[in-house]
């Protein structure tokens, strides 16, 4: 929409002329305060503040001018103007992922709202709390075909946990409370509130105020349920623990480690659960979810019991670890998993993951239940692969070298890396050593491209002073490159490492696996460094293998601004990895 067009149909309220004796420097502001009537938009903002909203990401439009004015009047919410609604949604989703509280994004009606659908769907798929707010045209024209009108309730309903439109001023406190409550319930996800322009401008009922927030609840399983779990575990010979992102969401990392150590059994994580158990722990196996039979899969081949903690089937297809549906599964999460032919559960424990694991560990101690299941060969193979090209000087750089240099350059174990979708995700997920949850963040539910650049902006704002690394392919980089301007403008501190191969590398890889050839996946890039610099970022081009580590280390420690590093990558290693995995023999 043309910016000038946003104003052409808006009728400004009439303001009476000031008294001639009044001071011209102060009277207009005082007059505005005296004449302003508290509107539904004002009430809406009061409710957002009551929910703890401090930051909102989005792009204004004509139909949400009343809400924008209310945000400005209130003054307690920081509005971050983005360059695309998709960027706003990814920022809100990343904030929600890192904080556990709903991130909030805003768009106008029609095309603006439709641009939010991808990040909203991503948040919902990955159990990330998010509240999307969309404007809508006047209620009086929603029944017919009209300029920019789309049935947004029907659009967002299948992408969210709950979507509704405000039709009655008095409903705002309940609707806002419901949107935030559902976004954070047992299965977190996205919700969407739609606010028509004419409703936003209506006077708010005098007695309408934000609702009090409920006390947080923690629900533990019954003793009988825990005893049933202990009985199943005692009957196993080769148990294994599978940990998903619910462990981080429930702050249950220490309990997970206690369970693993009590049973003395290995723990594998999903891509999204990466870091919920430190890779320094001997019982940590690494991640499952790679598109072929990876090292960790051999441990599942041997297992007869899978204790799935915080796992959901959207994180990866359980067929990869239970192809014959012959393994016993204990499912521990805040919600019951959906039906899947390869995820038949013997016991579902729905409740607080932390409280459940605490009770389970105590019961296992009382019954003296422990095993001795270990897979040292898996550790050996992963370590060898990680170190295989750590000193390799070939150029373009091999993926293993980039991963190793990236880990070395990160200053502390708690620095945050956001990993985009593409061939690089496979390498980073499998090989990047991770020691704390939410320090290597990967979307493997909807597997969205281009979320990490805007996501890094939100991560930086949530962690001021700490560098945030966005790891992207060149295909992803170009999809949301405009948000570099947002990052510069808001003073974010991020480093963007672009793996350059001038192709959609993951699709090329899968095509090569399919029939040995690929087509329609190659493209040409602009000058990535010059492009970044044109936005006000610092640009760096890697021209030899020994340049990446010092460049990345310096950028991460520079203390300010945006750094973009373009690093050519040699993806011929992709097919070599497939061949290598096909030759692994664990029976030897």
């Amino acid at each position: 929409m043309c910016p000038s067009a946003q104003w052409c149909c808006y009728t400004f309220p009439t303001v009476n002329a000031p008294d001639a004796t009044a001071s011209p420097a102060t009277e207009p502001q005082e007059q505005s305060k005296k004449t302003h009537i508290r509107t539904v938009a004002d009430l809406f903002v009061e409710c957002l503040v009551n929910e703890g909203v401090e930051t909102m990401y989005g792009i204004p439009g004509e139909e949400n001018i009343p809400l924008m004015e209310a945000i400005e009047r209130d003054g307690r919410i920081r509005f971050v103007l983005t360059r695309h609604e998709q960027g706003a949604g990814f920022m809100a989703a990343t904030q929600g992922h890192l904080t556990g509280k709903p991130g909030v994004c805003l768009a106008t009606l029609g095309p603006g709202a439709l641009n939010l659908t991808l990040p909203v769907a991503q948040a919902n798929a990955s159990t990330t709390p998010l509240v999307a707010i969309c404007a809508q045209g006047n209620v009086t024209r929603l029944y017919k075909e009209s300029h920019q009108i789309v049935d947004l309730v029907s659009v967002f309903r299948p992408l969210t946990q709950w979507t509704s439109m405000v039709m009655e001023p008095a409903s705002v406190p309940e609707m806002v409370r419901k949107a935030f409550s559902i976004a954070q319930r047992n299965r977190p996800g996205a919700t969407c509130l739609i606010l028509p322009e004419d409703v936003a401008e209506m006077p708010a009922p005098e007695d309408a105020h934000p609702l009090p927030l409920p006390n947080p609840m923690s629900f533990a399983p019954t003793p009988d349920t825990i005893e049933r779990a202990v009985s199943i575990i005692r009957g196993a010979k080769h148990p294994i623990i599978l940990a998903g992102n619910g462990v981080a969401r429930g702050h249950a990392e220490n309990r997970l480690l206690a369970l693993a150590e009590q049973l003395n059994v290995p723990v594998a994580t999903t891509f999204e659960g990466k870091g919920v158990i430190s890779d320094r722990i001997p019982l940590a196996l690494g991640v499952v979810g790679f598109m072929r039979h990876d090292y960790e899969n051999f441990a599942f081949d041997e297992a007869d019991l899978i204790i799935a903690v915080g796992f959901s089937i959207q994180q990866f297809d359980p067929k990869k670890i239970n192809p014959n549906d012959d393994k016993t599964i204990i499912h521990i999460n805040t919600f019951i998993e959906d039906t899947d032919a390869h995820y038949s559960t013997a016991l579902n424990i729905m409740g607080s993951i932390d409280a459940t694991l605490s009770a389970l560990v105590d019961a296992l101690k009382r019954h003296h239940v422990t095993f001795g299941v270990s897979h040292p060969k898996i550790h050996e193979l992963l370590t060898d692969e990680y170190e295989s090209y750590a000193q390799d000087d070939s150029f373009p750089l091999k993926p293993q070298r980039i991963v190793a240099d990236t880990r070395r350059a990160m200053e502390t174990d708690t620095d945050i890396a956001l990993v985009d979708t593409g061939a690089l995700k496979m390498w980073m997920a499998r090989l990047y050593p991770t020691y704390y949850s939410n320090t290597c963040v990967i979307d493997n539910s909807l597997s969205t491209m281009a979320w990490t650049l805007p996501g890094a902006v939100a991560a930086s704002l949530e962690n001021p002073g700490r560098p945030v690394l966005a790891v992207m392919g060149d295909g992803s980089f170009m999809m949301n490159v405009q948000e570099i301007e947002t990052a510069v403008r808001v003073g974010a501190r991020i480093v963007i490492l672009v793996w350059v191969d001038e192709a959609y590398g993951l699709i090329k890889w899968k095509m090569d696996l399919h029939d040995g050839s690929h087509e329609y996946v190659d493209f040409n890039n602009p000058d990535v460094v010059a492009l970044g610099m044109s936005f006000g970022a610092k640009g760096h081009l890697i021209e030899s293998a020994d340049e990446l580590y010092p460049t990345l280390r310096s950028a991460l420690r520079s203390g300010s601004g945006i750094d973009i590093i373009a690093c050519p990558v040699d993806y011929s290693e992709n097919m070599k990895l497939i061949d290598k995995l096909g030759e692994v023999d664990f029976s030897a």
Side-chain angles (χ1 to χ4, degrees), residues 365-520:
K365 287 180 179 178
R366 290 195 303 271
H367 290 281
H368 307 289
V369 181
T370 189
F371 298 86
V373 180
S374 64
H375 293 277
K377 188 170 182 178
I378 292 176
H379 275 285
E380 179 184 340
L381 288 167
L382 282 171
T383 300
D384 288 348
E385 189 179 324
Y386 174 71
E387 296 176 349
S388 59
Y389 293 106
Q391 304 300 322
D392 184 85
D393 290 331
S394 60
F395 187 85
L397 280 77
K398 290 182 170 55
Q400 301 95 320
R401 173 71 188 261
I402 300 177
V403 174
D405 282 1
T406 299
R407 179 70 269 181
R408 280 204 304 150
M410 297 293 269
E411 187 168 13
T412 70
D413 291 351
T414 56
D415 282 348
I416 299 171
L418 309 180
V419 181
D420 220 293
T421 295
L424 63 93
K425 179 173 76 172
M426 300 300 168
W427 291 102
M428 286 289 291
R430 296 178 65 257
L431 297 182
Y432 182 78
T434 307
Y435 311 116
Y436 292 95
S437 59
N438 290 336
T439 60
C440 182
V441 184
I442 299 173
D443 170 29
N444 206 49
S445 291
L446 198 61
S447 289
T448 313
M449 291 181 70
W451 70 272
T452 57
L453 199 165
V457 176
S460 177
L461 295 181
E462 283 296 318
N463 298 273
R466 288 178 57 190
V468 175
L469 176 66
V471 185
M472 313 185 73
D474 46 2
S476 293
F477 176 73
M478 290 302 297
M479 289 182 178
N480 269 321
V481 68
Q482 71 280 349
E483 300 303 343
I484 297 174
E485 189 279 329
T486 305
V488 171
R489 173 167 30 87
V490 301
R493 174 71 196 98
I494 63 177
V495 178
I496 304 165
L497 176 60
V498 184
W499 293 32
V500 178
D501 70 320
E502 297 194 329
Y504 292 113
L506 183 57
I507 303 304
K508 177 185 283 189
W509 191 352
K510 292 188 175 184
M511 284 181 172
D512 289 340
L513 284 170
H514 187 257
D515 66 1
S517 63
H518 54 263
E519 51 279 324
Y520 310 119

Side-chain angles (χ1 to χ4, degrees), residues 179-222:
F180 279 80
S181 175
I182 291 176
Q184 300 173 87
R185 66 182 180 182
N186 297 343
R187 182 168 193 150
T191 60
C192 180
L193 281 176
I194 298 158
L195 182 61
E197 181 183 16
D198 53 350
V199 177
E201 293 182 303
M202 291 178 181
E206 291 184 5
D207 60 349
H209 299 285
L211 299 180
L213 304 184
N215 293 322
M217 297 178 60
S218 177
F219 47 109
T222 64

Side-chain angles (χ1 to χ4, degrees), residues 116 120 130-134 152-153 156-157 160-165 175 179 190-194:
L116 272 184
V120 166
L130 177 143
V131 175
I133 301 168
C134 299
L152 296 179
V153 173
F156 280 93
R157 184 166 284 158
T160 61
Q161 302 282 347
W162 179 71
T163 292
S164 192
M165 182 162 60
M175 293 185 74
T191 60
C192 180
L193 281 176
I194 298 158

